[in-house]
Amino acid sequence: MGKRLKKSRYISGFDGVRTLAVIGVILYHLFPYRMTGGFLGVPIFFVVSGYLITDLLIQEYEQNQQIDIKAFYVRRMKRLYPALMTMVLTTSAFVTLFARESIDKLRGVIVSNIFYVYNWFQVSNHESYFDKFGNQSPFTHLWSLSIEGQFYLIWPLVILIMLKLIRSRQTNFDILLVAAFVSALLMIILFKPGQDPSRIYYGTDTRMFSIVLGAALAFLWPSTKLKANLQQGPRLFLDGTGLVSLLLIVWMFFKMDGESDLVYLGGMFFFSILSALLVATIVHPGADMNRLMTNKFFTWLGKRSYGIYLYQYPIMIFYEQKIANVANHPWLHAVIEIALILLVSDLSYRFLERPMQHFDYKQTFTVLKEVFTKGSAAGPKRVWLGLATVVVLIAGWGALDKPRASVSQRDSQDLQKVISQNNKQAKKQNAEPQKKKTVAKKAPDNKPAKSTEKTTETAEGELTKSQVAQAKKMPVTAIGDSVLADASATMQGIFPQMYVDAKVGRQVRDALPILTSLAQNGKMSDTVLLSLGTNGPFTPDDLKQIMQVLGPQRKVYWVNTEVPTQRWQDQVNQDLAKAEKKYHNLTVIDWHSYSQKHPEWFYSDNVHPNPDGLPYYGNFVAKSMLNKS
C-alpha cells in the first residue's frame, strides 16, 4: 500500500510547540497564581490542530480530487479515542472506589465524553473552570478535547465543500478569517464583567476562533508549497516574527489572568494570532524556527503531550486529596506530581496510544478468539482483558450508583447552610441603623468560649468583661471570603456594630471596589477587618491599592490564612507578614499559627471553622483587635 500523501512533510518543530503548550497548562494547574496565563496553552493546541488537519485535508484533495471522510474519522478515532476512554473509565473507577466525594454526575461525565460534548455538559451544570478551591472534578480539563472532537466531526465536510465550490485559496482564507472574527466577537458580546466567564470559556462557539485561525493559515501557508531557499531578508523577517511571537507567548503565560476582562475582550484572540504566527514560522522550511523548536527533549514531550494533557488533572487532584498538607512543601509535591504524570503518560504512549493507533480493528474478533482459545501464550492478553473488564464494571457501577453523602459532602452541605443563614443575618444586621443595634442573639455554638473548656487555649482567648463591653461599642467594617462568611454570626455576636460583606470564592482583588464604594459613601468604619487570601494570593499592587483606599488613619486588621490543602497558603501569609512591616496601621492576626495544631476546629476541608472551632476563631480575632485598640 502506497503512502497516503506523497508530498506531506513531518514538521518536528510542532513537538516543541506542543511541549510549550502542555508545560503552560501543567504549571497553571499546579501554580495557578504564579503561572496565571498557563491556561493559554490550550489555544496553542487548537491553532496547531486547525492548521495540521486542514493542511492534510487540502493535500489529500489536491492529490486525489476527493477526501476520504470515513478514513479520516477512523484515523482520528484510533489516535484519540482509546486513551480518552481509558482515562475516563479508569478515573471513574478510581472515583467509585477511593474518592466517592467526586462521584456526583459521573454518569453524565462518562456519556458526554463518549460523544465529545462534555464542554456543553459543563456549561449546563454551571461548572466553573476557575474554581481552584473545594471539591474539584478530575475531568474538568476534558472540555477542550470535546471541542476538538466536534471540530474533527464537521471539518472534513466543511473543507470538502469549500474546495469544491471555491477554488481560490485567498477567498477561503478570507472566509475562515471572518468566521474566526465572528467567534471572537461572540466571546466579547457574551462576556459579562464581574460574572464567572466559564460559559464562554467552555463554549464551542466562543472558542472556535483559535482552531479556525489555524485552519485559515493552512490555505494561505501550505506546508508543501513553501520555498526552502529564502534570501536573507525574508528569512530574518520570519525568524524575527517567530522569536517575538514566542517571547510574547511566554510573557502572556505569566501575565494574563483567566478571570481578567482583557482575556475575553480580545486578549485570547490576540494570543491565538501570536500562536498562528509562531506556527507559520515553524512550518516554513526557509526559516530557522523549526530547528529552534526541535530537540530530543521537545520531541519526547511533544509525542506524549496528548497523554500528559489527559492524565495531568486526575493525577494532581487524587494525589493532593491524599496529602494532608500540600502547602508545607509545595515544590516537592509539584515535582512528585509531574514525575507521576510523565510516568503514566509514557506508559500510555508506549502500551496504549501507539499500539491502538496501528491496530486493525477488523481483527478484534480474531484477537478475542485467540485470548479465549489459546494456552499460556495468550496469558498477558487475558490479564489486560480482565483488568479492562473490571475497570469498565466498576466505572459502570459508579455511574449507576447513588451513594450516600460522604463526610466531606455532609460537611460541605452543613457549611453551605451556615453561610447562607449567616449571610441573611448579616444583611439584616447591616441594614439596621448603628444607634439601634443591640447584641445579636447567638446560637450556643457561637457563644464566646468559656474557661471551663478542656484546652488551655480557650482560657487564653476568653474575652474579659471590659473587652466585651468595648466590643459592643466598636463599629467595624469586615470584608472577607467564605471563612468570614462562615464566622460572620460569631463576629457580629461579639461586635454588634460590625458591618459584614463576605462572599464565597472572593479573591483579594475583588475587595477593592467594595472598599472603594464604602469609603466614597462614608460608610467605612475607622476599624476595618479583612479576611482574604483563602482563594489565592495577591500582588503587591493589590495590597497597595487596598491600603490607599483605607488610608493611613484607619486601623486595619487582616486575618491570615489556614488553608493547608493549597500551595498558596505560605505565600499569602509571608506576603501579609511583609506588608505588616510596611504599613504602620496594618496588623496581621495570625490565625494560621494559633489554629494549626487543632484540626478538630475545622470542617473536613481543613479551612473553615466548624461549630466547635468558631468560638476559638471569634475570641482570638476579637482579642487581637481589642488589645490593639
Side-chain angles (χ1 to χ4, degrees), residues 20 39 50 70 132 142 225 232 238 259 320 366 391 402 405 455 473 494 538 615 622:
L20 175 68
F39 67 94
K70 179 182 177 182
K132 304 302 177 189
L142 298 183
K225 297 184 179 182
Q232 187 176 14
L238 283 175
E259 295 179 89
E320 292 176 13
T366 302
V391 166
K402 292 183 179 180
T455 57
K473 300 175 183 177
I494 298 172
F538 51 86

Side-chain angles (χ1 to χ4, degrees), residues 173-449:
F173 170 81
D174 293 340
I175 291 171
L176 292 179
L177 193 62
V178 170
F181 273 113
V182 169
S183 175
L185 184 62
L186 191 59
M187 172 178 276
I188 294 172
I189 292 172
L190 293 180
F191 176 68
K192 305 296 182 185
Q195 296 183 13
D196 189 296
S198 293
R199 155 61 183 94
I200 56 176
Y201 192 89
Y202 290 136
T204 306
D205 50 351
T206 49
R207 296 302 301 270
M208 189 57 74
F209 59 80
S210 300
I211 298 179
V212 175
L213 282 174
L217 180 65
F219 277 99
L220 206 62
W221 205 260
S223 64
T224 57
K225 297 184 179 182
L226 300 172
K227 294 180 180 179
N229 298 316
L230 287 180
Q231 295 182 356
Q232 187 176 14
R235 176 182 168 185
L236 290 176
F237 175 77
L238 283 175
D239 290 346
T241 301
L243 284 172
V244 170
S245 299
L246 178 60
L247 291 173
L248 284 174
I249 285 171
V250 173
W251 179 80
M252 291 178 75
F253 273 176
F254 287 95
K255 295 299 181 181
M256 294 298 282
D257 186 331
E259 295 179 89
S260 166
D261 294 0
L262 179 62
V263 172
Y264 307 99
L265 298 177
M268 197 178 294
F269 184 70
F270 174 72
F271 183 88
S272 299
I273 292 175
L274 288 178
S275 302
L277 290 174
L278 178 61
V279 166
T281 59
I282 289 173
V283 166
H284 204 295
D288 298 298
M289 289 301 297
N290 186 54
R291 288 188 289 275
L292 177 66
M293 298 298 289
T294 301
N295 57 60
K296 291 183 179 179
F297 175 70
F298 283 177
T299 298
W300 193 92
L301 279 180
K303 289 184 180 300
R304 291 157 180 79
S305 59
Y306 178 58
I308 292 171
Y309 186 85
L310 267 179
Y311 300 111
Q312 44 143 350
Y313 221 55
I315 288 174
M316 291 177 191
I317 287 176
F318 294 145
Y319 176 85
E320 292 176 13
Q321 283 178 353
K322 303 305 177 184
I323 302 298
N325 203 328
V326 174
N328 275 356
H329 304 284
W331 289 102
L332 173 62
H333 293 302
V335 169
I336 294 173
E337 289 175 56
I338 291 172
L340 289 172
I341 292 166
L342 294 180
L343 174 62
V344 172
S345 301
D346 184 56
L347 293 173
S348 174
Y349 179 73
R350 291 172 184 270
F351 301 110
L352 176 67
E353 295 170 51
R354 288 183 65 188
M356 298 307 292
Q357 187 176 357
H358 299 98
F359 179 69
D360 183 1
Y361 284 85
K362 293 179 181 178
Q363 301 298 316
T364 301
F365 180 75
T366 302
V367 172
L368 290 174
K369 186 177 179 181
E370 290 177 359
V371 169
F372 289 107
T373 58
K374 288 197 173 183
S376 59
K381 292 181 180 178
R382 288 197 190 101
V383 171
W384 285 112
L385 181 62
L387 286 174
T389 302
V390 170
V391 166
V392 171
L393 290 175
I394 294 174
W397 169 36
L400 298 174
D401 191 23
K402 292 183 179 180
R404 288 175 294 179
S406 65
V407 173
S408 61
Q409 287 174 319
R410 290 194 296 269
D411 272 3
S412 178
Q413 292 167 1
D414 291 343
L415 177 61
Q416 290 173 11
K417 289 178 182 178
V418 169
I419 288 176
S420 177
Q421 292 170 357
N422 287 356
N423 284 342
K424 291 178 182 178
Q425 178 178 325
K427 186 175 181 180
K428 180 180 179 181
Q429 195 160 334
N430 290 344
E432 294 178 7
Q434 294 288 340
K435 62 181 181 179
K436 292 185 179 180
K437 286 188 177 180
T438 58
V439 179
K441 294 182 179 179
K442 308 184 295 296
D445 287 336
N446 290 336
K447 288 181 180 179

